[in-house]
Amino acid sequence: MNNATDTLIPAPRTRVTDLTQRSHTARRNHLIDQTFKYLGVAATFIGLIVLAYFIIDIAIDGIGRIDWDFLTSLPSRKAEKAGILPAWAGSAWILALTAIISLPLGVAAGVYFEEYAKESRMNHLLEVNIANLAGVPSIIYGILGLEVFGRLMGFGESLLAGAFTLALLILPIIIVATREAIKAVPSTLREASYGLGATKWQTIKWQVLPAASGGILTGTILSLSRAVGETAPLIVIGALAYVPFVPSGPMDQFTVLPMQIFNWTSRPQAAFLTNAAAAIIVLLLITFIMNGIAIYLRNRWQKNLK
Amino acid sequence: MMTTEFLIDTHGTPRVKLDAPVYRASEAASAYDARVKPQSTFKLHTTDLNVYYGDHHVLKNINMGIESNAITALIGPSGCGKSTYLRLFNRMNDYIDTFHMSGQVLLGDKNIYDKDVATEELRKLVGMVFQKPNPFPKSIYDNVVYGLKIQGINKKSTLDEAVERALRQSALWDEVKHDLKKSALSLSGGQQQRLCIARTLAVQPDVILMDEPTSALDPIASAKIEDLMVELKKEYTIVIVTHNMQQASRVSDNCAFFYMGDLVEYSDTKSMFTHPQKTQTQNYVTGRFG
Ligand SMILES: Nc1ncnc2c1ncn2[C@@H]1O[C@H](COP(=O)(O)OP(=O)(O)O)[C@@H](O)[C@H]1O
Ligand SMILES: [Mg+2]
């Protein structure tokens, strides 16, 4: 009996391997592996350290300056009395208007490319150009905005001119985010909708866009947090550095936080530099909060897609 | 002679267990008769049908009628074209760029690939249940009324009635009647699939297509869906793709065996499983390949 089983089951191949001992090549590969791991960590840390240094430096300079008065006062020739009310109000206006203008345009264009555009040379050209637009320096957008929105359309140096200019600037990002979000919508959802007799537009409106909304919103918020820090295009279209009032409508003149910071940093007095540091903290906080919301939405959205 | 040829392979070893169905030439005729039904009982019909994805010829000259108020099962190994065939009937293949076809697909006596056919209207008559339960990420109620709402039906009492009727028909009502506002995604897989059936029923189609509707479910949930199908065939024409031979033999009235794009054999289910006429069918239904 035993003999019979012995012949049926081949004896294990004898190969002595010490699992704790790496061969020569394996050792070298392991070394390379480790080297790249630590290089990667180092590269990440260099970025983080620089950022941390900058934030700590600014915080030491500015955090003591932030109080209720600072947030609710108009700018002033006296550094101790100056505040950032018109600046952050202007930034808020610009943010809201830019979002209102760019979101529908960007989503519509994204939907068009993802759902309707046929493979054609024209569409290919459009796609390549949108990708290129994302790389155009923002000051060029400022010049375009000055000409088209400021002069041709007669918005002058108003919030509206600024918002249109920034909307144009972030449009490519929103379009790309929309397309990616739509691509991530599971095809089973689409099939279910079509299978019940829905038209293409009904399917887009009731299934695709709601399912993609998290991704679209994430992209939009991230792009808006870029817009809120933009200075160059607004300087070009004529945003003012000194605005002793809070804008009350979209046709008003305005300033924004980065302009105010730029203004203060160009003054020789140390007290204005402190003001600038305080304003930078406020601006950074706004950006971090926006990015935080974006990351939160993205995580929630990715969970929902599963 | 034929019998022995069939049962004995080249090495002379019997290829079937003794109690497996044995094909006999004398029975061929009756099996053949069984599959010729008067055309008037056909709800769906394909004639000289050829389907391609690009150059890939995936369905070859299929002539087949699908009986009204019966369950027709499409069986065959993976990739033989069952899903493609099923999705012809509600024109779901239209979304695949490389898809093209020749021949006719008739619903009643109307070619559904005619230029004047609106696919949205077609899909109200020919509903579909998919392999993986795919409820919308909305409430149970909203899932069921979706097909009605897109038709512009918004009256609450109408929708409420439709929800109850569809959920009762799909044997889900008792389990969910108290929390219709609950997310459909919180249901179990089997409940989700019955919800998908309810959603299809709410539109009141004539035909229900099911592409391996139980392949993602456990045996108990599958059994419920099978019972449901048998119940539903009184009012609907059902076409089901299945990989599960027991399922095909349990629930279907007619059975079509596809192999590499060919319709190899088509007959009533009993003949198919007891007296298959082709070697390939015999091998497949007894589980020797596929
Ligand atoms: N979207 C598609 N594009 C190209 N080929 C496809 C596509 N879907 C299926 N096929 C091919 O068509 C054949 C039939 O597929 P399918 O109908 O899904 O088979 P089954 O449902 O029987 O497994 C397979 O060879 C498959 O690879
Ligand atoms: Mg399939």
Side-chain angles (χ1 to χ4, degrees):
Chain A
M1 280 304 269
N2 266 345
N3 276 347
T5 31
D6 282 348
T7 51
L8 281 178
I9 300 168
R13 256 207 301 166
T14 45
R15 185 169 135 189
V16 184
T17 318
D18 183 352
L19 287 177
T20 60
Q21 212 64 62
R22 286 196 171 88
S23 72
H24 179 68
T25 25
R27 239 191 331 257
R28 212 187 58 201
N29 287 338
H30 181 71
L31 200 71
I32 294 173
D33 217 37
Q34 293 294 311
T35 313
F36 273 92
K37 187 171 111 193
Y38 288 118
L39 274 177
V41 170
T44 315
F45 267 93
I46 288 173
L48 280 178
I49 288 167
V50 172
L51 187 67
Y53 172 78
F54 169 73
I55 289 175
I56 292 167
D57 187 45
I58 294 284
I60 291 171
D61 284 352
I63 206 133
R65 181 68 183 83
I66 300 175
D67 55 18
W68 188 246
D69 277 348
F70 184 67
L71 296 176
T72 54
S73 298
L74 300 175
S76 159
R77 234 162 296 173
K78 293 203 186 82
E80 316 77 56
K81 288 177 73 182
I84 55 168
L85 178 62
W88 75 252
S91 281
W93 266 103
I94 282 283
L95 263 183
L97 289 174
T98 306
I100 292 169
I101 297 162
S102 60
L103 192 60
L105 284 177
V107 172
V111 168
Y112 169 75
F113 279 120
E114 226 28 69
E115 300 278 344
Y116 291 97
K118 298 265 168 357
E119 283 279 320
S120 75
R121 200 177 270 191
M122 172 73 180
N123 280 321
H124 191 65
L125 204 73
L126 279 174
E127 285 189 78
V128 170
N129 271 309
I130 286 172
N132 279 338
L133 277 181
V136 171
S138 60
I139 195 153
I140 310 287
Y141 280 96
I143 293 165
L144 178 77
L146 172 69
E147 191 55 39
V148 176
F149 304 120
R151 296 189 181 145
L152 258 162
M153 295 175 69
F155 295 154
E157 294 156 7
S158 67
L159 281 165
L160 212 52
F164 267 105
T165 308
L166 292 183
L168 218 56
L169 178 77
I170 64 171
L171 206 53
I173 310 176
I174 299 182
I175 293 173
V176 171
T178 302
R179 296 188 60 174
E180 293 306 318
I182 288 177
K183 269 194 206 127
V185 174
S187 61
T188 52
L189 211 59
R190 249 178 250 267
E191 286 187 328
S193 176
Y194 285 136
L196 289 165
T199 60
K200 186 164 195 166
W201 172 239
Q202 285 174 324
T203 302
I204 292 171
K205 183 172 156 204
W206 296 113
Q207 302 303 335
V208 176
L209 283 182
S213 62
I216 296 173
L217 229 55
T218 306
T220 305
I221 294 173
L222 284 177
S223 65
L224 282 173
S225 85
R226 178 181 168 196
V228 78
E230 279 294 343
T231 327
L234 297 181
I235 294 178
V236 177
I237 67 153
L240 304 175
Y242 179 74
V243 178
F245 56 85
V246 176
S248 59
M251 293 309 286
D252 283 358
Q253 290 190 303
F254 69 101
T255 191
V256 287
L257 269 172
M259 295 269 310
Q260 183 67 71
I261 292 165
F262 174 67
N263 179 328
W264 277 334
T265 49
S266 55
R267 304 280 191 97
Q269 297 95 319
F272 278 116
L273 291 182
T274 308
N275 282 0
I280 287 172
I281 294 171
V282 174
L283 181 60
L284 281 179
L285 267 179
I286 293 175
T287 345
F288 286 166
I289 289 171
M290 288 175 73
N291 289 3
I293 295 172
I295 290 166
Y296 170 76
L297 284 175
R298 177 160 57 201
N299 289 346
R300 238 189 51 178
W301 178 63
Q302 279 170 350
K303 236 179 266 152
N304 279 350
L305 275 185
K306 293 285 139 60
Chain B
M1 271 317 285
M2 272 187 83
T3 314
T4 45
E5 256 176 42
F6 182 73
L7 287 173
I8 311 292
D9 75 8
T10 44
H11 302 290
T13 351
R15 287 158 68 200
V16 273
K17 285 199 235 97
L18 284 177
D19 57 351
V22 175
Y23 170 78
R24 263 181 270 280
S26 60
E27 280 160 356
S30 68
Y32 187 79
D33 286 345
R35 65 190 222 196
V36 182
K37 295 220 154 76
Q39 292 229 346
S40 58
T41 65
F42 289 151
K43 183 81 190 174
L44 297 162
H45 220 122
T46 56
T47 54
D48 302 329
L49 177 85
N50 285 282
V51 173
Y52 309 80
Y53 291 123
D55 297 334
H56 189 185
H57 196 173
V58 292
L59 285 172
K60 298 165 190 163
N61 220 20
I62 310 291
N63 287 288
M64 177 171 161
I66 287 171
E67 204 184 334
S68 196
N69 292 88
I71 300 177
T72 302
L74 311 178
I75 62 171
S78 257
C80 66
K82 308 178 296 290
S83 295
T84 302
Y85 188 68
L86 188 76
R87 293 160 69 96
L88 281 172
F89 296 118
N90 65 345
R91 294 192 51 171
M92 267 318 201
N93 293 329
D94 291 17
Y95 298 107
I96 298 164
D97 290 334
T98 53
F99 165 81
H100 57 112
M101 58 168 280
S102 64
Q104 287 195 315
V105 180
L106 304 172
L107 171 65
D109 49 16
K110 175 71 180 166
N111 182 5
I112 61 170
Y113 283 85
D114 277 348
K115 282 254 156 29
D116 60 350
V117 169
T119 50
E120 295 83 37
E121 296 306 315
L122 169 69
R123 288 175 191 147
K124 290 171 195 166
L125 291 176
V126 184
M128 186 162 201
V129 176
F130 299 85
Q131 182 164 357
K132 215 171 139 246
N134 57 351
F136 300 122
K138 298 180 170 190
S139 72
I140 295 168
Y141 186 94
D142 286 342
N143 264 275
V144 181
V145 298
Y146 185 76
L148 300 173
K149 280 205 161 161
I150 56 174
Q151 294 179 35
I153 300 169
N154 285 311
K155 204 168 150 215
K156 181 148 191 319
S157 58
T158 315
L159 295 179
D160 287 351
E161 266 172 48
V163 167
E164 179 166 353
R165 181 165 19 85
L167 288 174
R168 278 191 194 283
Q169 271 185 304
S170 59
L172 193 58
W173 177 250
D174 289 332
E175 292 159 58
V176 301
K177 63 182 168 194
H178 295 303
D179 30 25
L180 294 174
K181 293 282 163 228
K182 205 167 73 166
S183 166
L185 301 179
S186 66
L187 297 175
S188 72
Q191 288 175 321
Q192 288 190 5
Q193 195 62 305
R194 276 179 286 146
L195 178 64
C196 291
I197 294 173
R199 179 173 73 181
T200 308
L201 295 176
V203 187
Q204 299 192 296
D206 289 351
V207 180
I208 302 174
L209 310 172
M210 299 184 168
D211 195 346
E212 302 188 32
T214 63
S215 64
L217 306 181
D218 64 69
I220 294 170
S222 302
K224 278 191 184 156
I225 304 255
E226 287 180 17
D227 292 345
L228 184 57
M229 286 192 282
V230 174
E231 193 55 37
L232 289 174
K233 77 172 179 186
K234 292 172 194 159
E235 286 179 65
Y236 304 89
T237 301
I238 297 176
V239 191
I240 176 181
V241 170
T242 180
H243 258 124
N244 182 331
M245 286 310 106
Q246 281 85 24
Q247 183 171 68
S249 67
R250 270 195 304 265
V251 302
S252 70
D253 300 289
N254 298 314
C255 197
F257 172 61
F258 285 81
Y259 185 62
M260 290 174 68
D262 287 308
L263 174 58
V264 176
E265 187 161 345
Y266 182 34
S267 74
D268 67 276
T269 302
K270 193 152 173 277
S271 322
M272 175 81 93
F273 281 87
T274 51
H275 312 292
Q277 294 177 46
K278 302 270 172 61
T279 321
Q280 284 165 326
T281 320
Q282 164 97 16
N283 288 347
Y284 187 73
V285 299
T286 54
R288 257 192 314 275
F289 83 98

